[in-house]
Amino acid sequence: SLITKHFSERLYSIYNVKTKMEKQISKLKDHVIVVGYGRNGSQAVDELLSNQIPVVVIENRSKVIQYMQENPKIIYIDGDATDDNVLHKAGIEKAKALISALASDADNLFVVITAREINPDLLIISRASAIANDKKLKLAGATNVIMPDKVGGQKMAKLVIQPDIHEFVEKILLQRVGDVSLFEISCSEINTNTSKTIGELQIRERTGISILGIKQADGQYILNPSSDTILKEDIMLFVLGNKDQVGLLKSILNG
């Protein structure tokens, strides 16, 4: 019958999509797994894809999956991220990060525990609604915990207190001004035999890039570092520039 034929074609289509997705995921490495394609999850996916970072979304709501299917760039898995097998299918062993953006703090907590157990080196970012759950999620293994509701309130206040500064920072971080953006650059591959200060390397003069701050090995942040700051392999640089300037800076550090 026509109903049976339509049903068979539908099953075949679903099977083909699933097989295609599994093949794509098997080839991925250093990708990001985003759990939940709600408001926060979809924003995270858009930002990652705009930076050419491969993403795998885990979602089990049929209407949301239908919506995702309209975007051919999105690789997804239809499943429950609290299930170990689903995380394995998403390539968690080879992933560099996981963002858990589910609406329920309890579900995020379970995802964090499971993901951390499978991949101890994974960078895990979790959403939280209640302030009390911030500490619980970090104890469970979350690297960072973001509270969208709290951030939203702070943002509204900042727009009253310092509207121009806030708008400037947001354009740099999210919207970008031309091709200029903020980048973080590790000095892990710096030639330690020729370690020099920021001034000796003449970074600003040679690349046009601006060093806004550094993160030291002990986790301490230094804003607007002085020219006599020695760049060592355990330092992370936060710079403002374009991709060509960043590439030039990396060649100078590794030279």
Side-chain angles (χ1 to χ4, degrees):
S1 67
L2 289 175
I3 296 176
T4 302
K5 181 181 178 182
H6 176 75
F7 183 70
S8 298
E9 289 176 348
R10 177 64 179 163
L11 284 178
Y12 183 73
S13 175
I14 293 172
Y15 175 78
N16 278 345
V17 170
K18 183 180 178 181
T19 304
K20 180 183 177 181
M21 293 288 180
E22 288 175 351
K23 287 181 179 179
Q24 288 178 303
I25 295 170
S26 67
K27 297 176 183 178
L28 294 179
K29 184 180 180 182
D30 292 331
H31 57 290
V32 178
I33 298 171
V34 175
V35 180
Y37 196 74
R39 179 167 57 89
N40 299 129
S42 60
Q43 289 173 346
V45 170
D46 289 345
E47 182 67 15
L48 290 165
L49 291 178
S50 70
N51 282 276
Q52 289 77 52
I53 297 174
V55 181
V56 175
V57 180
I58 298 177
E59 179 59 74
N60 60 4
R61 293 173 293 177
S62 58
K63 289 185 177 179
V64 177
I65 290 173
Q66 287 176 10
Y67 177 75
M68 285 194 295
Q69 288 173 342
E70 296 176 7
N71 186 344
K73 293 182 180 179
I74 297 179
I75 301 173
Y76 69 89
I77 288 179
D78 181 355
D80 184 350
T82 62
D83 183 343
D84 295 27
N85 293 325
V86 173
L87 289 175
H88 283 299
K89 288 180 181 178
I92 190 170
E93 294 90 348
K94 297 187 295 180
K96 73 173 181 180
L98 178 144
I99 297 174
S100 191
L102 298 171
S104 165
D105 286 1
D107 288 341
N108 285 322
L109 182 65
F110 203 92
V111 171
V112 168
I113 292 172
T114 308
R116 178 59 69 208
E117 185 178 0
I118 297 173
N119 189 341
D121 300 321
L122 192 68
L123 173 67
I124 301 177
I125 314 295
S126 177
R127 177 188 184 279
S129 297
I131 296 175
N133 292 329
D134 183 312
K135 187 176 181 180
K136 293 178 183 177
L137 284 159
K138 287 181 178 177
L139 286 173
T143 313
N144 295 102
V145 177
I146 304 298
M147 303 185 66
D149 295 338
K150 182 179 178 182
V151 172
Q154 289 175 335
K155 179 178 178 179
M156 287 187 281
K158 288 290 186 184
L159 285 170
V160 173
I161 300 167
Q162 296 178 315
D164 293 327
I165 289 179
H166 182 83
E167 185 178 353
F168 172 75
V169 172
E170 189 170 71
K171 280 187 178 294
I172 293 294
L173 282 174
L174 301 178
Q175 300 175 33
R176 299 179 185 82
V177 179
D179 60 349
V180 175
S181 187
L182 278 173
F183 295 88
E184 60 177 55
I185 301 174
S186 173
C187 293
S188 59
E189 297 182 8
I190 194 169
N191 189 336
T192 54
N193 295 323
T194 58
S195 294
K196 295 182 179 180
T197 65
I198 292 174
E200 289 172 332
L201 288 170
Q202 295 183 304
I203 290 174
R204 176 66 178 173
E205 294 78 4
R206 296 169 66 184
T207 68
I209 216 163
S210 296
I211 299 178
L212 303 184
I214 65 172
K215 181 181 179 182
Q216 298 179 316
D218 60 2
Q220 181 181 356
Y221 289 89
I222 298 177
L223 298 177
N224 192 25
S226 64
S227 60
D228 60 0
T229 301
I230 299 175
L231 297 183
K232 302 177 182 178
E233 58 184 357
D234 53 10
I235 281 179
M236 180 71 73
L237 298 176
F238 302 101
V239 304
L240 184 65
N242 59 43
K243 291 183 178 180
D244 291 337
Q245 291 171 328
V246 168
L248 184 56
L249 175 56
K250 287 181 177 180
S251 67
I252 291 173
L253 294 175
N254 301 339

